[in-house]
């Protein structure tokens, strides 16, 4: 299968190792993975802030860039949800564009959806001998309905010791612009999440969105906890080391 990697802005600028991990995973499974260099932001920050007109050129760019692919994978529940859930609504006033979006959006998958639902795999030959807890991020959980797909993949990793995170479904308090607009509430939510992570005694906190991990990791770092934050794709791509 020819798969387009929608790496997303946060990963491209701050966590390129996550995109590289996705490529390694899919190439091991025998798939061709392209990184279209013309891709850009999905426009979620613009749309969530009320800048619809500024979002539309980014939407059109996404359609132009990824339309040729059989499947598009994003290591981000948040950005995959933007395309699948918000693009059809945003494109509704332009029938021609709406038709293209309707054909493309169902082919956009968060990584665990592509692996479990489309490719039918839950074991990838990964090895990661560490104690890990998992935070299910809001968009992946509530908008995409990922359920336990990332956890099913992590359970197939050799040597991993998965420990449940208390109040796992509680938001971390990041939420794109939420943390900027509501700093006091965001800080309180982060404190709750960090406390629950520490209660697990995990070495590593994993999640499906590096934006949430950056937020939680910032709090854990300021507390000097030593807990590492990793996108679960990097664990699935690991073969015994830390990456």
């Amino acid at each position: 299968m020819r798969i387009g990697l929608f790496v997303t802005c946060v990963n491209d600028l701050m966590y390129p190792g996550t995109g590289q991990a996705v490529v390694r995973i899919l190439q091991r499974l025998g798939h061709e993975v392209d990184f279209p260099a013309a891709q850009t932001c999905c426009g979620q920050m613009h749309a969530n802030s009320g800048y619809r007109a500024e979002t539309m050129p980014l939407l059109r760019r996404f359609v132009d860039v990824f339309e040729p692919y059989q499947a598009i994978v994003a290591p981000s529940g948040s950005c995959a949800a933007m395309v699948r859930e918000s693009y059809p609504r945003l494109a509704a006033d332009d029938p021609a564009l709406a038709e293209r979006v309707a054909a493309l959006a169902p082919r956009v998958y968060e990584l665990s959806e592509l692996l479990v639902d489309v490719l039918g795999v839950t074991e990838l030959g990964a090895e990661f001998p560490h104690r890990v807890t998992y935070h299910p991020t809001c968009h992946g959980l509530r908008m995409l309905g990922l359920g336990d797909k990332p956890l099913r993949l992590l359970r197939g990793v050799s040597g991993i010791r998965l420990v449940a995170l208390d109040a796992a479904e509680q938001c971390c308090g990041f939420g794109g612009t939420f943390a900027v607009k509501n700093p006091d509430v965001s800080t309180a939510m982060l404190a709750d999440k960090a406390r629950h992570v520490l209660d697990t005694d995990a070495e590593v906190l994993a999640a499906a969105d590096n934006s949430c991990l950056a937020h939680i990791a910032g709090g854990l770092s300021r507390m000097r906890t030593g807990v590492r934050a990793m996108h679960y794709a990097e664990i699935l791509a690991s073969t015994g080391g830390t990456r």
Side-chain angles (χ1 to χ4, degrees):
M1 180 184 291
R2 186 183 179 215
I3 300 170
L5 171 61
F6 172 38
V7 76
T8 81
C9 299
V10 169
N11 291 323
D12 189 34
L13 296 172
M14 299 174 61
Y15 301 98
T18 296
Q20 292 166 355
V22 172
V23 172
R24 290 201 300 276
I25 291 167
L26 294 173
Q27 287 183 338
R28 283 179 197 163
L29 294 172
H31 298 284
E32 178 184 352
V33 184
D34 289 346
F35 173 75
Q39 66 180 280
T40 183
C41 174
C42 67
Q44 183 179 170
M45 297 287 281
H46 308 68
N48 288 353
S49 300
Y51 294 99
R52 178 171 179 169
E54 287 77 5
T55 307
M56 295 309 293
L58 301 172
L59 186 161
R60 294 178 186 279
R61 170 69 70 92
F62 185 92
V63 174
D64 289 342
V65 168
F66 285 104
E67 209 165 33
Y69 293 95
Q70 294 172 271
I72 298 95
V73 64
S76 165
S78 178
C79 297
M82 173 66 184
V83 177
R84 290 236 300 267
E85 302 299 322
S86 298
Y87 275 16
R89 174 171 45 81
L90 290 166
D93 293 339
D94 183 334
L97 181 61
E99 183 176 351
R100 295 174 68 191
V101 169
L104 176 60
R107 304 202 305 271
V108 177
Y109 303 98
E110 188 276 337
L111 177 63
S112 69
E113 294 179 302
L114 180 68
L115 292 173
V116 176
D117 295 341
V118 180
L119 304 181
V121 296
T122 53
E123 294 192 9
L124 298 160
E127 181 181 1
F128 192 75
H130 299 280
R131 186 178 175 90
V132 177
T133 194
Y134 178 77
H135 165 64
T137 55
C138 292
H139 284 86
L141 190 68
R142 296 176 177 83
M143 295 185 73
L144 296 182
L146 295 184
D148 69 344
K149 292 185 185 75
L151 280 172
R152 289 169 62 188
L153 292 162
L154 289 172
R155 290 187 191 112
V157 174
S158 177
I160 196 168
R161 288 165 289 161
L162 276 173
V163 287
L165 179 65
D166 195 19
E169 296 185 2
Q170 180 176 303
C171 177
C172 70
F174 177 68
T177 57
F178 178 86
V180 177
K181 295 176 179 175
N182 305 277
D184 292 340
V185 177
S186 173
T187 300
M189 296 173 76
L190 172 60
D192 285 346
K193 184 62 66 177
R195 184 178 71 254
H196 293 313
V197 171
L198 293 178
D199 286 345
T200 67
D201 201 26
E203 302 167 69
V204 175
L205 168 67
D209 275 279
N210 274 323
S211 53
C212 298
L213 285 174
H215 184 62
I216 304 171
L220 294 171
S221 176
R222 286 190 291 275
M223 296 166 68
R224 301 184 185 279
T225 65
V227 179
R228 288 183 293 145
M230 293 178 66
H231 193 287
Y232 79 93
E234 295 178 67
I235 295 176
L236 298 181
S238 176
T239 54
T242 57
R243 296 282 175 180

